[in-house]
Amino acid sequence: MSLDKENRRPLRLIAAACSNWGIGKNGGLPWHLPTEFKFFVDTVTRVSRAGKMNLLIWGKNCWYSNPESLFPMSDVVHVVLSKTLSDVPEHAHFLCRDFKAAVGLTSLPHIRDLVETIWVVGGHQVYKEGLEHPWCDLVYLTDVMADFNCDVFFPMLDRRIFIKQSRFPHVPDEIQEENGIKYKFQVFKKQIYRSGDAVMTE
Ligand SMILES: NC(=O)c1ccc[n+]([C@@H]2O[C@H](COP(=O)([O-])OP(=O)(O)OC[C@H]3O[C@@H](n4cnc5c(N)ncnc54)[C@H](OP(=O)(O)O)[C@@H]3O)[C@@H](O)[C@H]2O)c1
């Protein structure tokens, strides 16, 4: 499947990480932040044009860690990555063997006109491949302002390439607090370096 310009879609990451960049513990989230989770759902389901949908790329563990209450999650295309699963998991739409195949779905005729944005929703390896993908333009990374004992971590975010935005549409500015935990929504935008050393953003 080709990743040509015509099939190109914005590819974005969304995660919440605590002070040590931890994102998960024992197959689940280390914290209980319902409003943060609602922000996640609202963000990945939002489209700018009627009739469009977003495509979500899930690692297998992340997919199975979802609460059953998340489903049905309306109007999104769910893609699960696994080299070992033999069937598409319940509630998912596609099973892909690697990241490239998942992104390549946007070149399929019946998907091409449907998908507006590709959202990479974890875990670690899937985020890493998302950050390295040439279509990646934004990273939504909630700063959970506390220390949690974690066993899965967000990959290194190169702050020379991903620049924190001071304001962003649909993203509250102020520090949030739930269950005694403070957190802040953040968006990082990828700078594109082109010849001539001019720093540009797409
Ligand atoms: N805080 C947050 O925002 C956030 C977001 C997402 C997840 N999480 C947490 O992170 C943890 C899950 O993340 P994780 O890193 O352990 O696991 P994961 O990425 O969800 O799942 C790992 C599995 O997914 C498959 N996989 C991943 N990348 C693949 C690729 N490029 N190609 C083919 N298959 C691929 C493999 O399955 P096979 O072994 O079957 O090949 C791999 O063993 C949970 O604790 C979850 O709650 C937190």
Side-chain angles (χ1 to χ4, degrees):
M1 278 178 270
S2 71
L3 293 182
D4 54 34
K5 215 169 175 182
E6 184 193 341
N7 298 320
R8 183 180 177 125
R9 297 287 180 281
L11 184 148
R12 294 171 180 170
L13 277 64
I14 185 164
C18 64
S19 308
N20 59 5
W21 293 85
I23 59 169
K25 175 75 177 166
N26 297 332
L29 294 173
W31 44 76
H32 180 62
L33 300 173
T35 307
E36 206 286 325
F37 194 69
K38 182 176 181 306
F39 174 81
F40 160 78
V41 174
D42 290 348
T43 304
V44 300
T45 53
R46 184 179 300 114
V47 287
S48 62
R49 283 165 296 164
K52 296 287 181 183
M53 288 187 187
N54 296 329
L55 183 144
L56 273 52
I57 303 181
W58 304 84
K60 181 183 74 178
N61 300 349
C62 187
W63 174 260
Y64 284 115
S65 74
N66 278 320
E68 189 63 24
S69 57
L70 185 67
F71 303 110
M73 191 174 177
S74 59
D75 295 341
V76 291
V77 179
H78 293 296
V79 183
V80 177
L81 292 184
S82 166
K83 294 192 193 310
T84 61
L85 289 177
S86 46
D87 293 313
V88 183
E90 188 182 2
H91 303 300
H93 302 100
F94 293 94
L95 170 65
C96 287
R97 296 292 178 218
D98 57 39
F99 194 85
K100 190 175 171 196
V103 174
L105 290 170
T106 56
S107 63
L108 294 178
H110 60 293
I111 302 284
R112 192 170 45 216
D113 298 330
L114 187 66
V115 170
E116 187 170 279
T117 299
I118 300 168
W119 283 101
V120 177
V121 296
H124 174 87
Q125 178 62 24
V126 192
Y127 284 139
K128 192 163 183 298
E129 293 187 59
L131 283 175
E132 289 164 1
H133 197 278
W135 294 359
C136 177
D137 64 348
L138 297 174
V139 175
Y140 285 59
L141 185 62
T142 299
D143 175 15
V144 178
M145 302 156 81
D147 284 321
F148 285 87
N149 185 13
C150 296
D151 55 19
V152 182
F153 296 85
F154 194 80
M156 210 273 288
L157 185 72
D158 188 338
R159 297 288 301 273
R160 293 167 303 178
I161 297 176
F162 290 95
I163 309 300
K164 191 155 107 180
Q165 305 298 291
S166 52
R167 286 257 159 103
F168 213 79
H170 308 294
V171 179
D173 277 340
E174 57 283 357
I175 291 176
Q176 313 287 311
E177 184 163 355
E178 266 184 302
N179 298 327
I181 301 164
K182 288 191 169 62
Y183 61 94
K184 193 170 185 330
F185 299 113
Q186 308 177 114
V187 178
F188 295 84
K189 188 169 184 175
K190 189 176 178 184
Q191 305 291 305
I192 307 295
Y193 293 87
R194 297 213 177 95
S195 58
D197 284 332
V199 177
M200 308 176 75
T201 56
E202 270 195 338

